[in-house]
């Protein structure tokens, strides 16, 4: 009693499966059964999600381009940021306030004779200096201010926050009240006061070093970041640690006898790393902003070293005649700040495991 | 208990108290008596089951015993030596813990190798990297994990496998005593059986003693040599596992045992279930005298005035009740 498949005849009421409805698995399908999903780390997984975010990837590209320009442009462009343009060894007084990609009379004559002049990509300023190289150096200063300030904030904030959060109790209470006090200090006032006070003492101390180029104003800005701006990071890290330390794996680690600094390092900090990374990514534009408006107010870098803020400030004078002198530094600030903000947003989405699909 | 007995004990807990301060208003705190004068002892290679309903302080007993909380009062002796802040570091190698929730007790950012290797790192139990790896693989084999699992992360495992990782971590320092804090209550029933059998096998192989905390009486009866029953931070009855099951004396134990589901429907029909009335009183506001008197069928005036202490009813059976 069997049909063409070699199967016994099917009873009307039985749940016997009809083999004709099935295919043999192909080799590929068989392989799919063998291979388990690849072992991924948390970060590999996050980066995969980040790559799917077009805004964040666009920001990375923009930042990479800006970084390449500020690294290589001074090597290609033959002008210095404080160099007054000379033609054939003679000072060119006609090269004042040139529009982008134009040449002065002297340069024109020199080129007619067969000489070569590198184009002024962004034109020149009122002191006959190449504007492009000034914007490039301004970006260098602004970006490094952003990075260094964020690193200072990161180090102080993470150490302070993790001690406060892990210790808890009275230690936490006292440490957080100190944070509250610092939080209530007006930062702009502190910068102005410090740059006045430190200008004198630092001025002599840093003479002849790399810092002298940046000026004492810039150093007092770093000091203010070190003194004031870490409180936000400290609060954030403390809050994270308060929740993470409730986990059983921290208790398990205590039961093993792991010392506190090792528990913080191996168990707690890696688990709030995503929050820290995002916060740093968002801290950089805010530091650049602070530097820009301080430079705009004349409290920034020492002349002739440019920064994006001081360039914008200088451009105010001839705003109606030469608007491009404001546009170039302003657009650069906007690009950097926007890129970091979008990247920070993208990182938050990528590192948040709740959004994981 | 004679002094001779004392030397045999691996762990001895005397009048352990753990109060947590609870803020009730501005500047006012009321102690929450999570554990209120608990005493018991465990012999080498023995399993003491600790049962009781949620919130009665079982977990706190385990954690205070290991000094994860600083006990408010009482003493813990390990091999006759008093456990203090000074010697606890060395004793961490002797006393370990397995946690209830296998999902939160493993760090999601660490590989299995690092999780099991952490106690080895902390106590410096190896001299070369190769030795560390060898020890880790040995431990993994002991708890039934494959060597290829070593490089994976905790989230890639099932609940049962995760609990095995947790057990391997506890065994890494070669302890003689493990507090098992409801190690199977977060697992499926089929996996529960596997893990419990593994606990028994490990005890046979390594001779470890367990304090097995659970709220599942069937599980505790299966694994324990002796069982202690807790109610509101106090031990109300402690006896050999079989003795306790056949002859429960405290009214609370009676009602707990009557609540065990029976596989035989005929037996289940004829059995009388003792249902307790009312709710568990708040541990911040305990009733006077015996803590159980508000729900007890046998409560008398004496119960409200005095607090009964554990008294020997013969055969190692201790009960704290005036009326039974």
């Amino acid at each position: 009693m069997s049909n063409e498949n070699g199967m016994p005849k099917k009873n009307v009421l039985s749940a016997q499966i009809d083999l004709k409805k099935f295919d043999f698995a192909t080799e590929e399908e068989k392989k799919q059964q063998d291979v388990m999903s690849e072992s991924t780390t948390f970060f590999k997984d996050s980066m995969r999600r980040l790559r799917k975010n077009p805004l964040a990837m666009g920001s990375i590209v923009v930042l990479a381009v800006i970084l390449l320009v500020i690294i290589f442009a001074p090597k290609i462009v033959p002008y210095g940021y404080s160099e007054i343009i000379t033609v054939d060894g003679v000072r060119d007084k006609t090269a004042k306030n040139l529009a982008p990609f134009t040449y002065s009379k002297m340069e024109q004559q020199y080129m007619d004779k067969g000489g070569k002049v590198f184009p002024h990509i962004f034109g020149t300023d009122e002191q006959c200096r190449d504007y492009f190289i000034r914007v490039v150096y301004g970006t260098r200063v602004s970006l490094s201010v952003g990075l260094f300030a964020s690193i200072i904030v990161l180090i102080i904030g993470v150490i302070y926050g993790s001690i406060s959060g892990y210790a808890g109790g009275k230690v936490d209470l006292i440490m957080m009240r100190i944070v509250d006090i610092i939080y209530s200090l007006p930062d702009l006032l502190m910068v102005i006061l410090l740059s006045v006070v430190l200008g004198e003492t630092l001025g002599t101390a840093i003479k002849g070093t790399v810092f002298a180029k940046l000026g004492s104003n810039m150093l007092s800005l770093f000091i203010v970041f070190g003194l004031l701006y870490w409180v936000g990071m400290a609060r954030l890290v403390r809050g994270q640690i308060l929740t993470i330390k409730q986990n059983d794996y921290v208790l398990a680690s205590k039961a093993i006898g792991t010392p506190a600094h090792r528990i913080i390092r191996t168990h707690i900090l890696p688990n709030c790393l995503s929050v820290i990374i995002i916060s740093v990514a968002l801290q950089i534009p805010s530091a650049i902003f602070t530097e820009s408006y301080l430079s705009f107010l004349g409290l920034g870098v020492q002349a002739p070293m440019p920064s994006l803020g001081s360039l914008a400030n200088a451009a105010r004078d001839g705003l109606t005649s030469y608007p491009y002198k404001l546009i170039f530094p302003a657009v650069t600030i906007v690009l950097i700040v926007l890129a970091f903000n979008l990247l920070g947003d993208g990182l938050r989405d990528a590192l948040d495991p709740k959004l994981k699909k | 208990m004679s002094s001779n007995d004392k030397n045999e004990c691996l762990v001895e807990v005397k009048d352990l108290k753990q109060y947590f301060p609870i803020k009730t208003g501005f500047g006012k705190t009321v102690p929450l008596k999570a554990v209120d004068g608990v005493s018991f002892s465990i012999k080498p290679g023995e399993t003491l089951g600790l049962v009781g309903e949620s919130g009665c302080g079982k977990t706190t007993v385990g954690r205070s015993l290991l000094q994860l909380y600083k006990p408010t009062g009482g003493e813990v002796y390990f091999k006759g030596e008093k456990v203090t802040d000074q010697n606890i570091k060395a004793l961490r190698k002797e006393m370990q813990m397995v946690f209830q929730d296998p999902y939160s007790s493993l760090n999601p950012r660490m590989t299995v190798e690092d999780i099991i290797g952490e106690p080895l790192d902390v106590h410096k139990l190896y001299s070369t990297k190769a030795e560390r790896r060898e020890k880790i693989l040995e431990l993994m084999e002991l708890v039934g994990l494959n060597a290829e699992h070593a490089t994976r992360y905790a989230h890639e495992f099932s609940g049962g496998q995760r609990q095995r990782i947790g057990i391997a971590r506890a065994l890494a320092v070669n302890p003689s005593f493990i507090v098992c804090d409801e190690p199977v209550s977060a697992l499926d029933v089929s996996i529960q059986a596997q893990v419990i059998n593994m606990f028994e096998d490990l005890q046979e192989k390594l001779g470890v003693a367990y304090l097995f905390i659970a709220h599942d009486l069937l599980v505790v009866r299966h694994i324990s040599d002796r069982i202690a029953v807790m109610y509101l931070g106090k031990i109300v009855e402690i006896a050999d596992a079989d003795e306790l099951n056949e002859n429960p004396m405290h009214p609370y134990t009676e009602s707990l045992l009557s609540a065990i589901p029976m596989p035989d429907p005929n037996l289940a029909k004829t059995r009388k279930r003792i249902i307790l009335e009312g709710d568990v009183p708040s541990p911040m506001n305990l009733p006077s005298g015996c803590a159980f008197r508000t729900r007890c069928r046998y409560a008398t005036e004496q119960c409200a005035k005095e607090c009964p202490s554990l008294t020997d009813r013969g055969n190692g059976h201790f009960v704290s009740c005036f009326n039974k």
Side-chain angles (χ1 to χ4, degrees), chain B:
Chain B
M1 217 175 275
S2 70
S3 62
N4 194 22
D5 257 2
K6 236 180 224 169
N7 295 334
E8 274 178 43
C9 289
L10 184 69
V11 177
E12 200 177 355
V13 177
K14 273 189 192 164
D15 200 27
L16 188 71
K17 281 178 184 157
Q18 181 75 59
Y19 299 165
F20 296 112
I22 301 290
K23 277 193 182 132
T24 50
F26 189 75
K28 266 191 269 176
T29 52
V30 169
L32 186 152
K33 297 182 177 177
V35 177
D36 196 10
V38 163
S39 306
F40 57 84
S41 60
I42 300 170
K43 294 185 185 75
E46 186 194 40
T47 305
L48 175 71
L50 188 60
V51 290
E53 61 196 278
S54 305
C56 73
K58 310 184 292 286
T59 299
T60 313
V61 167
R63 292 184 178 178
S64 307
L65 201 163
L66 292 182
Q67 312 284 311
L68 292 175
Y69 301 145
K70 199 164 173 40
T72 317
E75 285 139 20
V76 179
Y77 292 90
F78 185 82
K79 288 186 178 161
E81 188 188 351
K82 192 179 170 194
V83 177
T84 58
D85 285 349
Q86 280 77 41
N87 63 8
I88 186 65
K89 185 112 213 280
L91 287 177
R92 295 259 182 247
K93 272 202 274 189
E94 296 285 340
M95 303 195 284
Q96 272 300 316
M97 188 158 187
V98 173
F99 288 84
Q100 172 177 13
D101 184 359
Y103 292 88
S104 75
S105 64
L106 303 177
N107 187 341
R109 298 291 168 83
M110 281 165 93
T111 60
V112 170
E113 193 178 346
D114 288 336
I115 289 170
I116 301 175
E118 190 185 352
L120 301 175
D121 296 340
V122 170
H123 295 287
K124 301 193 176 57
L125 295 176
Y126 57 88
S127 45
T128 59
K129 285 254 169 194
E131 198 187 335
R132 176 179 188 259
R133 185 153 175 89
E134 199 180 300
K135 279 196 172 168
I136 289 167
L137 292 180
E138 217 170 84
L139 284 162
M140 288 176 71
E141 201 191 315
L142 191 65
V143 297
L145 292 166
N146 293 333
E148 70 209 44
H149 291 153
T151 53
R152 298 221 187 122
Y153 287 83
H155 66 87
E156 297 171 65
F157 292 92
S158 66
Q161 282 173 315
R162 281 161 158 258
Q163 199 57 288
R164 285 167 195 265
I165 299 167
I167 294 164
R169 172 175 60 189
L171 289 173
V173 289
N174 210 359
S176 47
F177 172 62
I178 299 180
V179 174
C180 308
D181 184 6
E182 305 199 27
V184 295
S185 53
L187 306 175
D188 284 349
V189 177
S190 56
I191 310 294
Q192 277 188 7
Q194 285 177 14
V195 172
I196 284 168
N197 288 337
M198 196 180 73
F199 272 116
E200 289 190 318
D201 290 347
L202 289 173
Q203 189 167 44
E204 231 165 76
K205 266 189 224 165
L206 309 170
V208 281
Y210 295 132
L211 173 65
F212 200 94
I213 301 167
H215 52 233
D216 187 338
L217 272 165
L218 280 172
V219 167
V220 169
R221 190 159 77 185
H222 177 75
I223 195 167
S224 305
D225 299 316
R226 285 188 304 141
I227 297 177
V229 181
M230 267 186 92
Y231 184 79
L232 276 176
K234 286 196 173 79
I235 289 181
V236 293
E237 186 163 7
I238 181 165
D240 281 347
D242 296 332
E243 164 76 14
L244 189 94
N245 270 293
E246 261 136 53
N247 186 18
M249 287 191 187
H250 196 277
Y252 181 61
T253 317
E254 271 182 354
S255 88
L256 275 187
L257 288 174
S258 81
I260 297 177
M262 279 196 178
D264 185 345
N266 289 328
L267 271 177
K269 261 181 218 160
T270 54
R271 170 178 73 163
K272 204 175 151 226
R273 184 125 186 245
I274 305 163
I275 297 170
L276 292 178
E277 279 168 19
D279 287 326
V280 189
S282 158
M284 284 160 69
N285 186 17
L286 289 173
S288 64
C290 174
F292 188 60
R293 72 177 167 85
T294 52
R295 303 169 76 190
C296 184
R297 294 185 294 164
Y298 312 107
T300 58
E301 272 176 32
Q302 192 193 7
C303 297
K305 283 177 196 147
E306 289 170 66
C307 190
S309 56
L310 278 176
T311 49
D312 196 350
R313 307 292 163 98
N315 218 355
H317 195 147
F318 291 82
V319 184
S320 76
C321 189
F322 294 122
N323 305 315
K324 289 290 273 185

Side-chain angles (χ1 to χ4, degrees), chain A residues 64-285:
Chain A
V65 168
I66 290 175
L67 212 62
L68 286 177
V69 168
I70 63 170
I71 289 169
F72 292 112
K75 293 200 168 69
I76 297 163
V77 179
Y79 307 111
Y81 67 88
S82 58
E83 184 190 327
I84 290 158
I85 290 163
T86 53
V87 179
D88 216 7
V90 183
R91 197 183 152 189
D92 182 6
K93 282 190 178 164
T94 51
K96 204 186 229 179
N97 292 328
L98 290 176
F101 287 105
T102 54
Y103 298 98
S104 68
K105 275 180 201 157
M106 271 177 81
E107 281 172 334
Q108 208 70 49
Q109 284 164 8
Y110 182 61
M111 275 156 71
D112 291 342
K113 279 187 224 160
K116 267 191 181 163
V117 174
F118 197 86
H120 304 296
I121 299 168
F122 287 174
T124 57
D125 67 0
E126 73 289 342
Q127 290 183 38
C128 311
R129 292 176 294 199
D130 185 73
Y131 204 56
F132 175 69
I133 204 72
R134 284 187 70 73
V135 172
V136 165
Y137 269 93
T139 315
R140 269 190 174 189
V141 169
S142 292
L143 263 184
S144 42
V145 167
L147 280 174
F148 277 114
S150 302
I151 289 169
I152 293 170
V153 166
L154 177 76
I155 293 170
I156 301 177
V158 166
I159 292 174
Y160 194 94
S162 43
I163 291 171
S164 173
Y166 189 77
K170 282 204 177 90
V171 177
D172 182 39
L173 194 79
I174 292 165
M175 286 177 92
M176 277 303 117
R177 290 303 79 74
I178 293 171
V179 163
D180 287 343
I181 291 167
I182 293 172
Y183 216 78
S184 62
L185 293 175
D187 43 358
L188 194 57
L189 193 67
M190 289 294 287
V191 176
I192 295 167
L193 285 175
L194 271 173
S195 54
V196 169
V197 175
L198 291 173
E200 297 289 312
T201 46
L202 276 177
T204 49
I206 60 170
K207 214 163 223 171
T209 60
V210 201
F211 300 114
K213 269 190 181 172
L214 279 173
S216 55
N217 278 345
M218 213 74 256
L219 279 184
S220 58
L221 187 67
F222 284 139
I223 291 169
V224 167
F225 264 101
L227 285 176
L228 301 181
Y229 282 75
W230 55 269
V231 288
M233 178 68 88
R235 277 186 172 171
L236 196 79
V237 171
R238 169 188 170 263
Q240 281 291 310
I241 284 174
L242 282 183
T243 51
I244 290 167
K245 79 170 183 181
Q246 303 291 331
N247 276 317
D248 275 354
Y249 55 78
V250 175
L251 202 64
S253 201
K254 278 185 196 163
I256 285 165
T258 314
H261 63 89
R262 197 189 148 103
I263 293 180
I264 292 179
R265 213 179 57 234
T266 62
H267 293 289
I268 295 179
L269 283 183
N271 280 297
C272 57
L273 203 62
S274 53
V275 177
I276 293 171
I277 288 175
I278 295 154
S279 162
V280 168
L282 296 174
Q283 183 73 53
I284 292 171

